[in-house]
Amino acid sequence: MAGFSTLSLLVFFLLFGFSVAKETLVGGKTDAWKIPSSQSDSLNQWAERSRFQVGDYLVWKYDGGKDSVIEVNREDYGNCSVSKPIKEYNDGNTKVKLEHPGPFYFISGAKGHCEKGQKLVVVVLTPRGRTNSAISPTTSPSPSPSSAEFEGPAVAPSPTSSATALPNGLVGVFFAMWLFSM
């Protein structure tokens, strides 16, 4: 009987321990999509401390009647131009899937807000074990942004703390327990 419950735990961790996609509330709070009160209140400061993987979702909560989220290219981000949006959202509860590695650029659609700092760059990390050459030929990630051109996050290495290794470590522990219980 002990073998069965250990095996069940092993299967559980194998099925659910590798689920890495997550939903992240932009800025970590519902009222974060606004003109920052200072440079330290900038969403880019928040994004620099965060890690985003392919398949994750960014979630914005805001008043859709007064503002919007516009995904733009690098140049339009730097110029705060809304004339050629990649995607436009104004529902007040925007959820965007980060579908490829590289930078994603977002600006406010409210007049004058982007120029006052209401904008965001997130850099999505390349999945472990993959290089850009392994990405589908139809997917061509934008080049990494240069901090000299705007205030945005630098590309950071994948986290390597023991916390990120925990699911794999638990699977190994439970597999070993299962072997010894037989």
Side-chain angles (χ1 to χ4, degrees):
M1 188 63 91
F4 177 75
S5 62
T6 305
L7 180 60
S8 298
L9 282 173
L10 175 65
V11 169
F12 175 81
F13 280 105
L14 284 174
L15 292 175
F16 299 105
F18 295 106
S19 176
V20 294
K22 66 180 188 264
E23 288 187 10
T24 302
L25 185 61
V26 170
K29 53 188 177 182
T30 57
D31 64 344
W33 190 239
K34 62 182 180 183
I35 297 170
S37 58
S38 68
Q39 179 61 28
S40 63
D41 193 31
S42 163
L43 288 175
N44 286 334
Q45 294 289 323
W46 166 81
E48 287 177 7
R49 296 185 305 270
S50 304
R51 298 291 174 258
F52 305 99
Q53 300 286 332
V54 172
D56 287 351
Y57 291 88
L58 290 178
V59 179
W60 283 261
K61 305 277 187 181
Y62 57 95
D63 183 347
K66 296 181 180 178
D67 206 345
S68 62
V69 175
I70 301 177
E71 184 178 350
V72 295
N73 64 31
R74 180 179 174 176
E75 182 181 345
D76 290 343
Y77 174 89
N79 297 328
C80 289
S81 174
V82 297
S83 63
K84 298 176 288 182
I86 294 171
K87 293 181 186 166
E88 213 169 334
Y89 309 92
N90 59 6
D91 59 359
N93 188 24
T94 297
K95 185 175 173 179
V96 175
K97 185 174 184 178
L98 303 172
E99 296 179 330
H100 59 80
F104 285 76
Y105 302 92
F106 302 96
I107 62 175
S108 170
K111 189 168 181 72
H113 284 212
C114 176
E115 292 82 357
K116 294 178 183 172
Q118 188 178 345
K119 54 190 188 174
L120 170 67
V121 176
V122 297
V123 177
V124 178
L125 302 174
T126 301
R128 288 182 190 224
R130 282 181 73 180
T131 62
N132 284 344
S133 62
I135 299 170
S136 163
T138 59
T139 304
S140 72
S142 303
S144 296
S146 164
S147 60
E149 296 175 16
F150 70 93
E151 296 172 15
V155 176
S158 296
T160 57
S161 71
S162 59
T164 59
L166 188 60
N168 294 336
L170 283 176
V171 171
V173 167
F174 284 106
F175 183 70
M177 288 172 51
W178 175 70
L179 286 175
F180 288 113
S181 68
M182 295 182 88

